Amino acid sequence: MNTVPPLDLSQQYKLIQDEVSQAVQAVLASGRYIGGSIVEAFEQEFGQYIGVQETIACNSGTDALFLALRAFNIGPGDEVITTPFTFIATAEMISAVGATPVFVDIDPQTFNLDIEQIPNAITARTKAIIPVHLFGQSVDMTRLMVIAQSYHLAVIEDCAQATGASWQGQKVGSIGHIGCFSFFPTKNLGACGDGGAVTTQDPALAQSMRIIKEHGQASRYRSETIGINSRLDALQAAILRIKLRYLDTWNQQRQTLARRYHQLLDPLSEIITPQEIACGQSVWNQYTIRVQSTSDAVNSTLKPRDYLRNYLQEQGIGSMIYYPIPLHQQPVYQGLGYSAEQLPIVEAICQEVLSLPLFPELSSDQQDQVIYAIKEGLVQTLQL
Ligand SMILES: *Cc1c(COP(=O)(O)O)cnc(C)c1O
């Protein structure tokens, strides 16, 4: 039986292995493994790609969020508004600097923050908003920036899943005050290990992030603030420079596959396909459908989504649940005191989402296998 993995990074490596080997050998031979011209060149090229003055490479998307929050002096007593439907790192770094995450419910069409609900969550303590461009799709940055400006709030974009995505022709990471990127291997631009970057148009913010990522040192061995050690290795920078040149092609392949999923899945009434909003261009880090909980299945112990996922698994089709638990219901955030049904949309969505195999090298044969298995699986699900 042919299987379809949720993700296969080895195919992409095969495509570029000669270039990567050469670049890696060159770094190894140079004897310069931390910092240096390769890292600087990557920062330059990445900044140009995103459309910003300043890029600072760091160790991970998580560190990028930490640096951005610290650059705004956000700390104890401050509140930061974000989405409960994201990877834990987004809220975790708000907590790590000593501030409090404030969760606003999501828009069920896009899975992103419901912009209309943001003003209700703003208090005298609110310092920033962290919109997350989830699954590769930009938040409505026009409306978000209007709200942020009128309340004088910082905007830190979490672009970890959306490298190359745009909003009204502008790349995400160039619209808010700071953009935070992850080069974790499964992201659209992935290293062969950990990596991240922050982007900004503001030289003063860039300067403070450079200082914080190097032990608070404004000059060598002179520390002015408590910092961290967060670096992108020269080896990873060399690999990322190569992959950056392919990124637009790979993102276009993802878009083609997403459109084909739309066409083939839209006729199925039990499934809601992800919506693209007109002003943005998604780069489809994930293709996430909703398997609706039908009344027929109400008495079943297994949710239709979970039943379908198990069926796909049996057929050799990989799928993932991003995310099974909204952040306000994570054990670590029990103390924030959110009640059940306080954020009803995200709580319902977490029971329904299923991310299907999507990576640039996925073949249409494999995609057909996924669709076939979904159709068969739905028939069985409905017989529950
Ligand atoms: C992956 C991810 C991060 C964290 O990035 P790392 O490089 O793994 O630290 C943060 N936010 C979101 C939305 C992510 O998907």
Side-chain angles (χ1 to χ4, degrees):
M1 185 177 62
N2 288 329
T3 61
V4 184
L7 178 75
D8 179 1
L9 296 170
S10 66
Q11 290 188 49
Q12 191 164 86
Y13 174 64
K14 274 192 215 127
L15 196 77
I16 55 171
Q17 67 181 32
D18 292 344
E19 281 178 279
V20 168
S21 296
Q22 261 179 17
V24 165
Q25 292 297 333
V27 172
L28 291 176
S30 77
R32 186 83 202 253
Y33 307 135
I34 296 287
S37 62
I38 306 269
V39 177
E40 282 165 20
F42 172 69
E43 290 180 338
Q44 184 78 28
E45 290 159 7
F46 190 73
Q48 220 153 49
Y49 177 80
I50 298 299
V52 288
Q53 291 296 320
E54 307 267 0
T55 298
I56 299 136
C58 62
N59 180 253
S60 67
T62 304
D63 281 2
L65 289 161
F66 182 86
L67 294 172
L69 288 157
R70 285 287 311 277
F72 284 109
N73 285 315
I74 291 168
D78 297 335
E79 293 174 356
V80 178
I81 291 171
T82 194
T83 167
F85 197 49
T86 175
F87 181 58
I88 184 75
T90 316
E92 186 184 30
M93 289 304 104
I94 297 170
S95 304
V97 300
T100 304
V102 173
F103 298 113
V104 166
D105 213 347
I106 59 169
D107 170 357
Q109 309 293 326
T110 63
F111 302 124
N112 279 332
L113 268 177
D114 183 351
I115 308 281
E116 311 246 287
Q117 295 194 41
I118 291 176
N120 296 333
I122 295 172
T123 73
R125 292 166 177 263
T126 309
K127 289 283 153 54
I129 308 174
I130 305 187
V132 179
H133 307 300
L134 200 74
F135 304 148
Q137 167 150 264
S138 177
V139 167
D140 180 340
M141 289 305 289
T142 310
R143 282 161 69 211
L144 188 119
M145 292 310 288
V146 167
I147 293 171
Q149 269 148 21
S150 60
Y151 291 92
H152 306 289
L153 302 177
V155 175
I156 298 168
E157 296 178 72
D158 184 338
C159 309
Q161 300 182 10
T163 308
S166 56
W167 176 256
Q168 292 194 327
Q170 266 183 291
K171 293 251 163 61
V172 300
S174 70
I175 308 165
H177 302 103
I178 296 177
C180 298
F181 291 86
S182 166
F183 307 126
F184 185 77
T186 64
K187 309 293 162 110
N188 293 52
L189 178 64
C192 298
D194 274 314
V198 284
T199 53
T200 183
Q201 303 283 23
D202 183 330
L205 287 174
Q207 179 63 5
S208 42
M209 292 191 283
R210 276 196 192 94
I211 291 172
I212 295 160
K213 71 162 245 182
E214 284 192 39
H215 302 290
Q217 299 177 118
S219 56
R220 187 169 271 203
Y221 304 129
R222 190 188 153 82
S223 286
E224 297 186 343
T225 181
I226 296 298
I228 55 172
N229 167 24
S230 188
R231 302 188 271 238
L232 181 71
D233 292 349
L235 280 173
Q236 298 303 342
I239 294 167
L240 287 167
R241 287 184 73 194
I242 294 166
K243 292 181 112 183
L244 181 59
R245 298 201 282 270
Y246 291 88
L247 181 61
D248 283 340
T249 306
W250 290 335
N251 281 342
Q252 279 155 21
Q253 287 170 317
R254 288 174 184 272
Q255 282 157 359
T256 305
L257 288 162
R259 274 198 297 274
R260 190 149 182 273
Y261 267 140
H262 289 339
Q263 276 165 16
L264 297 169
L265 291 171
D266 276 339
L268 308 181
S269 59
E270 302 85 357
I271 286 191
I272 302 178
T273 55
Q275 297 295 303
E276 256 183 300
I277 29 179
C279 300
Q281 188 159 39
S282 176
V283 291
W284 300 103
N285 184 251
Q286 299 295 335
Y287 188 89
T288 303
I289 59 169
R290 286 163 59 196
V291 186
Q292 284 196 294
S293 300
T294 56
S295 53
D296 297 358
V298 157
N299 294 325
S300 160
T301 46
L302 214 51
K303 294 183 278 281
R305 185 270 314 273
D306 295 330
Y307 190 90
L308 181 62
R309 181 165 193 240
N310 290 349
Y311 181 83
L312 293 178
Q313 193 76 40
E314 286 164 20
Q315 305 304 307
I317 311 286
S319 65
M320 305 293 279
I321 297 174
Y322 300 119
Y323 293 93
I325 307 174
L327 296 192
H328 66 290
Q329 294 183 334
Q330 290 284 342
V332 71
Y333 283 133
Q334 294 303 302
L336 293 179
Y338 285 82
S339 59
E341 289 164 45
Q342 192 168 344
L343 302 172
I345 307 289
V346 70
E347 289 168 29
I349 291 276
C350 284
Q351 312 294 315
E352 296 183 349
V353 283
L354 192 64
S355 298
L356 303 180
L358 182 78
F359 49 93
E361 300 78 17
L362 185 77
S363 70
S364 42
D365 274 359
Q366 287 178 308
Q367 211 178 12
D368 288 341
Q369 265 177 269
V370 176
I371 302 293
Y372 181 80
I374 288 175
K375 286 180 178 166
E376 292 289 296
L378 284 175
V379 171
Q380 306 228 353
T381 307
L382 293 175
Q383 285 167 359
L384 280 178

